[in-house]
Amino acid sequence: MIVDRQGRRFRNLRVSLTSACNYACTYCVPNGKRLVAAQDELSAEAMARGVAYLIEAAGIERLRITGGEPLVSPKLETFMTAVGQMGLEDISLTTNGQLLAKKLPLLVDARIRRINVSLDTLDASAFRGIARGGDLATVLDGMEQARAAGMKIKVNMVPLRGQNLDQVMPLLDYCLERGYELRFIELMRMGHLASDSNAFLQQFVSLQQLLSLIGERYEYLQASAPVDATAVRYEIPGQGYFGVIANESVPFCRTCSRLRLSSTGWLHGCLSSSNRHYVGDLLDKPRHQALPALQRLLVKALGDKQEVAFSGGATVMKIIGG
Ligand code: SAM
């Protein structure tokens, strides 16, 4: 097991199955282009082998499938079938929900029990303005179907000043009524926002701002969360829970256990570092050759983690896997 001076190790792996996405959210894809996959993406088999090797080399216990948009990828079924047989403690998926109803049978068959659906607004016109793709009603229907199929749903919302702050309470109520746990994600200085401080600050909404908005209507208490959780979690007694991934206000680098594998075969140990480590070539090698080399790269990737706080990264979230 590879552990750093702060006692951190890689436990959670996020795999970006493809960088293609059927949305072009303003804060993630500034050029507005949808469905652009990287040229040199790995096959489903190579990515699954990557997961198997990382379970052994790094001690990965939990896997989240993300992207890009994982549900647009033709690799999804093969990949899910393979990783489903690896004895992982948990496999979950992050999606924008546009293809959720369509792919639900596949997800149920693969025994995916937990999904995070990204949804920044319940207002159809604001939805078109932010996501620049897809259809709100289709997402809501997909979530209902997933709930009816017994899936545990979290909803991810990025609050953006001037764009969807008026949606914080409607979305919270919507989620509380249905037993979905809402996660607010503080806007991160990723991609173009890492170099454009004005654009970032104009849109950024802090944990404190969110809590005072929510506190106008609800009483809430801080709730427990796993040690390496990224979200600060709150309970609204008798109603449900919500969380805030407050990367700016309450940095979680000290306990970060995340490792990311991109669709083109790069390992990222930290969202806030431009360092990345190519493992695509190792995934064609037999285990006894791949593992020692992989372990050397994992030491480097763990060393890329920030000591205390996230400071921003040039990599776009849809490439690195949100
Ligand atoms: N397509 C999937 C989805 O929409 O959930 C998975 C990939 S998406 C990049 C994962 C998450 O990253 C989404 O919840 C999105 O809102 C979030 N995200 C992207 N760029 C971000 C940024 N700069 N700051 C905060 N969250 C961001």
Side-chain angles (χ1 to χ4, degrees), residues 157-168 184-189 193 199-214 244-250:
M157 174 200 197
V158 181
L160 302 160
R161 194 177 316 138
Q163 294 171 66
N164 65 355
L165 256 191
D166 62 337
Q167 290 294 301
V168 166
F184 300 100
I185 309 178
E186 278 187 356
L187 185 64
M188 300 173 82
R189 299 171 195 265
L193 295 174
F200 173 77
L201 291 170
Q202 271 164 19
Q203 300 176 82
F204 178 74
V205 179
S206 71
L207 167 78
Q208 267 322 317
Q209 288 168 310
L210 279 168
L211 291 181
S212 42
L213 204 59
I214 294 167
V244 186
I245 302 182
N247 34 278
E248 292 275 332
S249 306
V250 187

Side-chain angles (χ1 to χ4, degrees), residues 79-142:
F79 180 77
M80 282 192 312
T81 306
V83 296
Q85 294 159 6
M86 293 179 188
L88 284 155
E89 200 179 278
D90 182 62
I91 303 178
S92 57
L93 179 109
T94 300
T95 173
N96 59 32
Q98 199 54 228
L99 295 172
L100 188 51
K102 227 182 206 166
K103 302 283 179 180
L104 196 56
L106 207 64
L107 300 179
V108 170
D109 281 354
R111 289 199 283 278
I112 304 282
R113 310 304 304 150
R114 297 194 311 116
I115 53 171
N116 285 19
V117 180
S118 302
L119 178 62
D120 292 329
T121 174
L122 288 172
D123 177 283
S125 150
F127 178 93
R128 283 192 292 276
I130 297 172
R132 300 190 290 183
D135 166 64
L136 174 64
T138 309
V139 177
L140 300 182
D141 174 56

Side-chain angles (χ1 to χ4, degrees), residues 139-155:
V139 177
L140 300 182
D141 174 56
M143 284 163 60
E144 285 297 337
Q145 292 196 36
R147 178 167 71 127
M151 288 200 177
K152 197 166 167 221
I153 298 174
K154 283 187 187 154
V155 172

